[in-house]
Amino acid sequence: MRVLGIDPGLTRCGVGVVEGVPGRPGTMIAYHVVRTESDDDIAHRLLQLDRALAALVAEHQPESVAVERVFAQHNVRTVMGTAQASAVAVLAGARAGLPVQTYTPSEVKAAVTGSGTAGKAQVTAMVTRLLQLDAPPKPADAADALALAICHIWRGGTRARIQAAALAAARKAHQGRVRR
């Protein structure tokens, strides 16, 4: 399974692509950081992010997208920008017809390190180890995006397949009732 993980941000949006199967070390395909200028108009920044994410989805052809769920922060301006970037990330996957799953930072940390309270350094170290990289991915946004992809492969991939199978069965059952 190939997953595009997105650590949403308006100034820096981390994107990581990992291929793998549950329970096994994955393979890093690529990572990127999409940057926008903080003094640019918000509409321009969101459009720039949208175009960049659409291009990365087209380039890497993931089977699904994992996005970090926005959590409450003390700085309302920061959380608003992150929420807007998160919406653009979810839309990028949905527009491509891909399943999109969101994860809280604690879920990602727990999946990758075993502790939902792990620090950024621990997450980066485990991503480096799990993907057998020669050096840690930088900046931290890239490591977080790769961690999201790993989390989805290990936890969400199975959940997404079960949901897709249930949806297909429900559609088939509905079509059977309509024909009668």
Side-chain angles (χ1 to χ4, degrees):
M1 163 182 275
R2 182 175 284 203
V3 176
L4 187 114
I6 303 173
D7 180 32
L10 205 44
T11 304
R12 285 183 328 272
C13 181
V15 179
V17 185
V18 175
E19 203 162 275
V21 295
R24 302 256 186 189
T27 302
M28 183 193 72
I29 304 301
Y31 67 85
H32 309 270
V33 177
V34 179
R35 299 175 192 273
T36 66
E37 294 298 325
S38 59
D39 55 350
D40 281 353
D41 177 66
I42 185 72
H44 176 73
R45 294 175 76 189
L46 292 170
L47 182 59
Q48 183 180 348
L49 181 59
D50 180 54
R51 288 177 176 160
L53 292 177
L56 290 169
V57 167
E59 176 184 347
H60 294 293
Q61 297 290 303
E63 295 168 58
S64 58
V65 175
V67 180
E68 186 172 275
R69 188 176 303 150
V70 178
F71 62 98
Q73 296 176 340
H74 298 292
N75 185 336
V76 174
R77 187 173 178 182
T78 301
V79 79
M80 286 296 293
T82 304
Q84 291 166 328
S86 179
V88 170
V90 170
L91 181 60
R95 187 182 290 132
L98 300 171
V100 179
Q101 187 74 43
T102 61
Y103 297 93
T104 65
S106 320
E107 287 177 300
V108 176
K109 291 173 184 179
V112 173
T113 70
S115 169
T117 60
K120 283 206 176 277
Q122 285 176 285
V123 171
T124 300
M126 284 306 296
V127 165
T128 304
R129 176 182 286 164
L130 291 169
L131 297 177
Q132 301 172 353
L133 304 176
D134 294 333
K138 292 186 181 183
D141 309 277
D144 290 348
L146 291 167
L148 275 151
I150 293 167
C151 174
H152 184 68
I153 289 167
W154 287 0
R155 292 189 173 186
T158 303
R159 184 175 3 159
R161 284 193 296 279
I162 291 170
Q163 287 173 340
L167 183 59
R171 283 184 183 148
K172 187 173 181 180
H174 177 71
Q175 288 173 347
R177 285 192 304 262
V178 171
R179 289 184 185 152
R180 287 185 212 167

